[in-house]
């Protein structure tokens, strides 16, 4: 499959196009835990950060932790510059996206105050024609609204164009299908660790498979 297989491409951000040094999530979650009076294991920190396969909700339930309180404290702890400096761009994603000659967009759960500095730090903001950061007003994947907003911003919203959303989480697949476009799952997390096998119109190990 080449880049011209679709009229437009949308991408999840964290875990798909970019990621962070493994020590960084554990450091941030550890600081959140210190403030809230919880001591998280490295595995729990990874699950709280990535939330794959519902693992984040399992940690909240097992620890009796209020998600709203966790995220409020999380956003107090995390610094956008430190996050950007601790992140990296996947080489396979860079090689694929930078060569696309069609409308592109990002639909991410990463908040705007973190997303902007991250894109600027890696000088990849110009890869994308639209960036949609999910929130309570816009909606959260698998709600199709954020995907539809990105499609409208790049001029391909339900007007005959065919596109795909590439992501690493089941919510990405759901959002794509709910918006009526193809879902491509990039399998960057082992299925055993995830606790489930994620379906999609296509499953890839990396962008090289495209």
């Amino acid at each position: 499959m080449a880049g011209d297989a679709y009229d437009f491409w949308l991408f999840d951000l964290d875990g798909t196009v970019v990621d962070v040094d493994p020590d960084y999530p554990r450091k941030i979650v550890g600081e959140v835990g210190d403030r809230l009076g919880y001591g998280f294991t490295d595995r729990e920190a990874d699950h709280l950060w990535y939330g794959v396969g519902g693992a984040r909700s399992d940690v909240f339930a097992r620890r009796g932790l209020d998600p709203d309180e966790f995220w409020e404290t999380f956003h107090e702890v995390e610094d956008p510059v430190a996050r950007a400096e601790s992140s990296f761009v996947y080489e396979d994603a860079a090689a694929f996206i930078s060569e696309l000659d069609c409308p592109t967009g990002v639909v991410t759960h990463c908040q705007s105050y973190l997303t902007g500095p991250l894109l600027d730090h890696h000088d990849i903001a110009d890869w994308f024609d639209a960036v949609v950061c999910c929130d309570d007003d816009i909606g959260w994947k698998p709600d199709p609204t954020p995907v539809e907003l990105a499609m409208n911003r790049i001029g391909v919203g339900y007007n005959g164009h065919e596109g795909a959303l590439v992501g690493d989480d089941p919510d990405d697949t759901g959002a794509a299908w709910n918006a009526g476009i193809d879902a491509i799952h990039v399998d960057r997390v082992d299925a055993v660790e995830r606790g489930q096998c994620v379906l999609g119109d296509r499953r890839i190990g990396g962008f090289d498979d495209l």
Side-chain angles (χ1 to χ4, degrees):
M1 178 182 292
D4 59 1
Y6 293 101
D7 300 322
F8 66 93
W9 291 83
L10 301 178
F11 304 92
D12 172 53
L13 191 60
D14 288 324
T16 300
V17 177
V18 304
D19 218 321
V20 293
D21 183 285
D23 290 335
Y24 181 77
R26 296 169 183 177
K27 174 179 179 293
I28 297 300
V29 173
E31 291 182 16
V32 173
D34 289 343
R35 293 194 183 191
L36 297 177
Y38 292 84
F40 297 113
T41 66
D42 286 349
R43 184 177 179 83
E44 287 176 326
D46 292 343
H47 286 173
L48 286 169
W49 181 273
Y50 290 104
V52 293
R56 180 184 294 130
S57 297
D58 291 343
V59 176
F60 288 149
R62 185 170 61 251
R63 289 302 198 97
L65 178 59
D66 177 33
D68 290 338
E69 185 179 20
F70 174 86
W71 289 118
E72 181 180 350
T73 307
F74 181 94
H75 294 313
E76 292 173 356
V77 167
E78 191 168 33
D79 174 71
V81 174
R83 166 74 168 270
E85 291 177 345
S86 299
S87 66
F88 62 90
V89 179
Y90 281 108
E91 292 184 0
D92 59 345
F96 183 81
I97 300 172
S98 63
E99 294 300 320
L100 289 176
D101 185 23
C102 63
T104 59
V106 163
V107 183
T108 177
H109 281 183
C110 186
Q111 296 301 280
S112 57
Y113 81 98
L114 296 169
T115 299
L118 190 153
L119 297 177
D120 290 342
H121 177 77
H122 292 291
D123 195 25
I124 61 174
D126 62 351
W127 287 359
F128 309 108
D129 301 302
V131 176
V132 174
C133 297
C134 299
D135 59 28
D136 289 340
D137 293 327
I138 294 174
W140 303 87
K141 297 175 289 185
D143 183 339
T145 306
V147 176
E148 292 169 337
L149 179 58
M151 291 165 59
N152 288 334
R153 287 181 177 177
I154 61 178
V156 296
Y158 302 114
N159 54 12
H161 292 87
E162 297 184 359
L165 169 62
V166 185
D168 70 314
D169 190 271
D171 286 345
D172 298 313
T173 299
W177 284 344
N178 288 337
I181 63 175
D182 283 359
I184 299 177
H185 173 68
V186 56
D187 204 5
R188 301 213 188 268
V189 178
D190 182 83
V192 175
E193 174 67 18
R194 183 184 297 275
Q196 64 180 170
C197 181
V198 181
L199 299 178
D201 293 292
R202 182 167 182 180
R203 187 166 59 204
I204 58 176
F207 283 80
D208 292 342
D209 294 343
L210 296 175

